Amino acid sequence: MKVIHLVLSNVFAGIEQHVDELSIFQETSCDVTVMCNESIAAKFNNKHVISFSNFNRRSPIGLLSLALKLKKLDADVIHTHGSKTTEIINFIKKFIKLNHVCTVHGIKKNTQAYEKADIAITVSNLVKESLNTNSVVVKNWWSPALPHNIQNNKKFILAVGRLEEVKGFDLLIKSWKGVDNSLVIVGSGNDRRKLDDLIELNKLEDKISIIDEVSPDKLLDYYKNAALLVISSRKEGGPRVALEALHLKIPVISTMVGHMADILPLELLAKPNDEESLTKLIRSYVDGKTMNQDSIFRYVNEEYSLIAQGNKILKIYKDLLVS
């Protein structure tokens, strides 16, 4: 089976890592090509990568160039990631027959593009409920590059993600007043200055530090020192970092986003975009109650592996081709 993954991001982040790992897994049984923006091409580790300059979704030259490449490759399935790539393929399908699968990585306001794919894959039940189209839930997975065991030194509380409003780090910082433990936020983004100012305004410089986004190897060092991972997102498709932490046997508390309600009990979940609810959760578990998440660790290790989820995606491809 010949498969193409299309991703046109300018940065290599969670979605791109998802594509990289999935394409490597699929190479054991399929002929796989990743087509991507040239600015991130070097970050992909699979055998076949085709890169080109990013283009506007309405660019006639960009659309024609991509259509010609797709026609030449003659793949059995094209798998798009994100609304832009999905919309582009929807247009090209008017001129070239393509078997089109898309993955919806988060809850979107406008879902029309996904409704025109042959089938949509969603990363959680919450994302599936936001769509009005034929869709199948295939959960995210923890990175297969992670070790199975780490020596945890439990020096601080950890949060990881893009420094953008959707991740709720402003709420997390406000909720940290009166907490004894130190918080380390790892990430980069447009809200860095705003978050630094918020830390200073609340006089939390001795309790909260922000570390620029790091490589996966360096992030593992932060996991090794994390007593707990906090997810504070307002909206989320995953979050993947929660799966990584749980795989590494690091307890997690979270807002009720993405797949977290499928993993954690209600008492470990806060309402999204609700400072009071998040504050109550943090004060209960960061400096307070102890948690035994051993059963959750086992569940995530088995159910959220790349092998388990990757095989589901291959079955979706095969079912589409025989339908």
Side-chain angles (χ1 to χ4, degrees):
M1 187 191 315
K2 294 181 69 175
V3 179
I4 294 173
H5 290 278
L6 179 62
V7 55
L8 287 175
S9 316
N10 289 316
V11 296
F12 192 93
I15 292 175
E16 294 69 39
Q17 188 175 353
H18 174 107
V19 173
D20 188 40
E21 292 167 355
L22 178 59
S23 61
I24 291 170
F25 169 79
Q26 291 177 344
E27 281 180 341
T28 60
S29 58
C30 302
D31 179 356
V32 184
T33 299
V34 171
M35 302 184 76
C36 65
N37 182 5
E38 60 188 6
S39 67
I40 61 173
K43 300 287 185 70
F44 287 96
N45 295 293
N46 66 304
K47 297 174 184 175
H48 305 295
V49 179
I50 296 176
S51 65
F52 41 84
S53 297
N54 207 344
F55 61 89
N56 185 285
R57 67 189 72 191
R58 294 178 179 83
S59 166
I61 295 175
L63 291 167
L64 177 60
S65 176
L66 178 59
L68 292 174
K69 287 183 174 72
L70 292 173
K71 187 173 183 180
K72 183 177 181 180
L73 288 169
D74 190 28
D76 297 297
V77 174
I78 180 156
H79 191 154
T80 58
H81 301 265
S83 60
K84 178 180 178 179
T85 56
T86 302
E87 188 174 329
I88 285 170
I89 294 304
N90 286 338
F91 179 80
I92 291 176
K93 284 190 300 187
K94 297 176 182 178
F95 309 98
I96 301 174
K97 179 173 173 52
L98 298 169
N99 294 306
H100 181 199
V101 175
C102 70
T103 292
V104 190
H105 292 270
I107 296 174
K108 309 295 183 182
K109 290 181 180 179
N110 188 344
T111 63
Q112 289 183 348
Y114 302 117
E115 294 167 9
K116 295 179 182 178
D118 293 311
I119 189 163
I121 295 172
T122 67
V123 296
S124 72
N125 288 309
L126 285 176
V127 176
K128 179 180 175 65
E129 290 167 7
S130 71
L131 299 180
N132 184 29
T133 189
N134 180 27
S135 62
V136 177
V137 176
V138 177
K139 299 165 185 174
N140 270 318
W141 51 80
W142 41 266
S143 170
L146 290 172
H148 289 287
N149 293 290
I150 59 172
Q151 180 64 45
N152 195 306
N153 298 312
K154 300 182 179 180
K155 292 182 178 179
F156 48 70
I157 309 302
L158 181 64
V160 181
R162 303 187 315 275
L163 304 184
E164 297 177 5
E165 184 181 8
V166 70
K167 296 297 184 179
F169 291 134
D170 56 325
L171 301 176
L172 182 58
I173 290 168
K174 293 175 185 176
S175 299
W176 216 256
K177 288 178 286 189
V179 175
D180 291 333
N181 274 286
S182 297
L183 171 66
V184 175
I185 300 172
V186 178
S188 59
N190 296 329
D191 281 1
R192 175 61 188 264
R193 178 70 64 85
K194 185 187 299 183
L195 296 175
D196 283 336
D197 291 345
L198 191 59
I199 291 170
E200 184 177 354
L201 178 66
N202 287 278
K203 297 181 172 56
L204 292 168
E205 298 95 328
D206 62 334
K207 290 290 180 67
I208 302 177
S209 56
I210 299 178
I211 308 297
D212 286 338
E213 186 176 4
V214 298
S215 67
D217 289 343
K218 185 65 177 175
L219 181 58
L220 183 59
D221 291 336
Y222 286 96
Y223 281 135
K224 289 177 179 178
N225 289 293
L228 177 75
L229 180 81
V230 180
I231 303 295
S232 56
S233 300
R234 289 179 166 91
K235 291 193 300 182
E236 187 79 58
R240 178 188 173 96
V241 291
L243 301 180
E244 294 182 345
L246 291 166
H247 169 69
L248 294 170
K249 298 180 173 59
I250 300 167
V252 173
I253 59 175
S254 176
T255 50
M256 195 179 295
V257 293
H259 50 226
M260 297 314 298
D262 299 328
I263 297 173
L264 298 180
L266 286 176
E267 60 265 26
L268 299 181
L269 296 168
K271 297 175 184 176
N273 198 26
D274 189 318
E275 182 182 341
E276 181 180 354
S277 179
L278 182 61
T279 299
K280 182 179 179 181
L281 180 67
I282 287 169
R283 291 183 178 174
S284 293
Y285 289 100
V286 170
D287 284 336
K289 302 174 186 176
T290 58
M291 287 181 289
N292 184 335
Q293 295 191 356
D294 289 349
S295 61
I296 298 173
F297 298 155
R298 289 193 295 270
Y299 170 67
V300 167
N301 191 56
E302 295 171 5
E303 180 64 21
Y304 289 82
S305 70
L306 173 55
I307 292 174
Q309 304 307 319
N311 283 329
K312 293 177 185 177
I313 292 175
L314 287 176
K315 184 177 186 304
I316 289 170
Y317 295 169
K318 292 173 182 176
D319 290 348
L320 175 61
L321 294 178
V322 298
S323 63

